[in-house]
Amino acid sequence: MLKFALVGCGRISKRHSELLGLNQIKNATLVAVCDIDEEKAKKLGEQFSVPYYKDMDEMVRAEQAIDVVSVLTESGFHAEHVINLAKYGKHIVVEKPMALTIDDADDMIMACQKNNCRLFVVKQNRFNVPVIKLKEALDSGRLGRLFMGTVRVRWCRPQEYYDQAPWRGTWAMDGGVLTNQASHHVDLLEYMMGRVDSVYAKGIKALADIEAEDTAAVILKFRNGGIGIIEATTAIRPEDLEGSISILGEKGSVEIAGFAVNKMVHWNFQEKIEGDDEVMEKYSVNPPNVYGFGHQAYYEHVVDCILNNKEHLVDGLEGRKSVELISAIYESMETRKEVFLRFKPQYCKLGGRL
Ligand SMILES: NC(=O)c1ccc[n+]([C@@H]2O[C@H](COP(=O)([O-])OP(=O)(O)OC[C@H]3O[C@@H](n4cnc5c(N)ncnc54)[C@H](O)[C@@H]3O)[C@@H](O)[C@H]2O)c1
């Protein structure tokens, strides 16, 4: 039985605490919670009958049996908190986005490596039933060469959402729709289409009074030669409309939509195989909110990886990819130029390819 503790008892802690504290995850249990806001820590601790703390160091020292700490604090604090917790050698789950800068992501990866603890980044949408099915089709080559990938996030986040906490929508602690709400979809696009070569982006504040963008459009060029589009906004009114991904290949096309990448709405291949006709019905789910059901499958995966020493689907290096991609997108917005993700030597002869 793995013993989990939570750092951060805000909005998303409800999802984590209910799964871990109500025995929804096999071989996992909640043993302690912590928040600098003592009232929040107390409320959650009492709800699940576990000790609560105001200070994460005090918690980890007092509760020696903790195996894994889930970091659910504001995005801009993830690096500081993960690096601090790594020194205790506990495994760490960190909410998305893993970090706000590439340097922070690198420091987190190194701190965990140095202290022999595993770092798991929450990307629960990768565990959505239709997403797993699409990835399977891609890996088996059914779509052939991919030439276009699109994600759309059309969600509703009114001003009251941003006003709930002062960190929301700020450059220092959160970022805009791309870093927060759409970071799952940015991750999914790269997960399906492969690494990105360059990006060109525009962002605006359509409705929200925040520092960063609430609406963005991005054109991507992938290393495989394909292109892609990210359309992301939290300015849809009056309610969430869509969270979708479509992948087009030379031999087939797939689209997953719904409001949380939860419904297989298109599944079509030149070469049909048995079971194709049932995929749209069988691989669609109806989650109660935009977080989806993915956190459950995600935690089951984390527990399985730790107990059975398996490779994790979203470790630090994997989580770092979307931090790098999102940084490049913002760089493009600011510079109004296409931004390339990797340094590409033009004159260096090393390796003999030029
Ligand atoms: N995976 C998802 O779908 C999903 C959904 C929502 C939020 N998130 C992510 O979860 C994170 C938290 O979001 P939220 O909406 O719950 O924020 P929130 O503001 O509601 O909660 C953050 C909590 O962390 C606490 N905290 C800050 N510093 C602390 C410290 N040193 N020790 C202990 N507690 C500390 C704050 O007091 C606060 O209660 C963000 O990174 C966000 O992007 C992910």
Side-chain angles (χ1 to χ4, degrees):
M1 186 69 96
L2 286 178
K3 297 183 177 63
F4 282 77
L6 305 183
V7 171
C9 302
R11 282 180 82 228
I12 198 62
S13 69
K14 179 172 161 38
R15 194 88 195 91
H16 292 253
S17 56
E18 285 175 357
L19 288 171
L20 296 165
L22 297 177
N23 301 320
Q24 305 290 303
I25 311 295
K26 200 172 160 221
N27 293 326
T29 185
L30 182 68
V31 295
V33 298
C34 162
D35 199 297
I36 44 171
D37 181 335
E38 197 171 357
E39 271 310 300
K40 284 190 189 174
K42 182 168 187 276
K43 195 169 163 221
L44 205 66
E46 286 180 352
Q47 186 184 345
F48 294 98
S49 308
V50 295
Y52 61 90
Y53 295 84
K54 246 184 102 173
D55 180 277
M56 70 178 94
D57 294 278
E58 198 190 314
M59 174 177 79
V60 181
R61 285 192 204 110
E63 308 287 335
Q64 300 263 331
I66 293 172
D67 298 295
V68 192
V69 184
S70 296
V71 175
L72 319 178
T73 54
E74 295 87 332
S75 307
F77 284 143
H78 289 175
E80 182 188 324
H81 295 162
V82 167
I83 291 165
N84 180 47
L85 289 163
K87 67 178 188 249
Y88 297 101
K90 309 289 181 193
H91 300 304
I92 298 172
V93 169
V94 61
E95 257 298 354
K96 64 81 206 162
M98 169 186 181
L100 297 185
T101 70
I102 305 170
D103 285 350
D104 275 352
D106 286 340
D107 290 348
M108 292 158 82
I109 293 166
M110 277 190 280
C112 290
Q113 258 176 15
K114 199 171 124 197
N115 292 288
N116 233 347
C117 48
R118 298 184 67 176
L119 179 59
F120 301 89
V121 183
V122 179
K123 299 277 186 191
Q124 79 270 17
N125 281 263
R126 286 198 187 192
F127 295 83
N128 291 4
V129 174
V131 171
I132 293 171
K133 189 71 184 160
L134 166 60
K135 182 67 175 150
E136 234 176 65
L138 288 175
D139 289 347
S140 69
R142 282 199 77 194
L143 279 94
R145 189 175 52 82
L146 305 179
F147 61 88
M148 178 90 133
T150 302
V151 287
R152 266 197 299 271
V153 184
R154 294 167 165 177
W155 284 354
C156 172
R157 293 291 180 278
Q159 190 62 38
E160 302 88 72
Y161 161 85
Y162 289 105
D163 292 344
Q164 272 172 12
W167 67 278
R168 295 192 189 280
T170 60
W171 286 118
M173 296 300 288
D174 188 14
V177 61
L178 284 168
T179 339
N180 191 320
Q181 293 77 19
S183 70
H184 292 295
H185 311 78
V186 172
D187 172 68
L188 284 184
L189 190 59
E190 199 171 17
Y191 184 45
M192 301 299 176
M193 291 290 293
R195 299 304 307 266
V196 175
D197 200 20
S198 71
V199 292
Y200 182 74
K202 292 278 178 201
I204 58 168
K205 279 174 257 195
L207 293 183
D209 181 16
I210 52 175
E211 276 179 17
E213 85 297 343
D214 69 359
T215 299
V218 186
I219 297 173
L220 307 96
K221 178 91 200 290
F222 294 94
R223 285 193 202 166
N224 67 5
I227 54 174
I229 297 173
I230 297 170
E231 180 201 309
T233 182
T234 54
I236 294 293
R237 298 292 183 269
E239 58 191 5
D240 292 330
L241 171 63
E242 178 179 354
S244 68
I245 179 165
S246 54
I247 302 292
L248 313 182
E250 59 181 344
K251 294 198 233 160
S253 45
V254 176
E255 183 167 337
I256 307 170
F259 59 89
V261 206
N262 54 299
K263 274 199 163 82
M264 191 72 88
V265 295
H266 182 81
W267 177 264
N268 207 353
F269 298 90
Q270 256 170 9
E271 287 165 30
K272 313 262 181 238
I273 59 171
E274 208 189 316
D276 273 349
D277 292 345
E278 294 156 27
V279 165
M280 294 218 284
E281 196 190 330
K282 245 170 115 182
Y283 292 87
S284 294
V285 289
N286 277 316
N289 53 46
V290 292
Y291 300 153
F293 291 121
H295 273 96
Q296 170 136 18
Y298 179 79
Y299 264 120
E300 281 163 2
H301 178 64
V302 168
V303 170
D304 184 35
C305 287
I306 296 175
L307 291 181
N308 301 309
N309 206 17
K310 288 188 184 160
E311 213 174 296
H312 183 37
L313 203 53
V314 199
D315 59 11
L317 283 175
E318 195 63 20
R320 181 194 186 280
K321 287 182 184 170
S322 47
V323 178
E324 186 184 11
L325 179 51
I326 287 169
S327 304
I329 292 171
Y330 284 133
E331 191 79 1
S332 173
M333 281 183 195
E334 298 291 340
T335 59
R336 303 174 181 204
K337 288 192 176 133
E338 182 176 11
V339 169
F340 290 83
L341 272 92
R342 284 287 157 102
F343 163 69
K344 284 211 173 60
Q346 290 183 46
Y347 305 108
C348 166
K349 292 178 187 152
L350 188 65
R353 278 193 291 273
L354 294 167

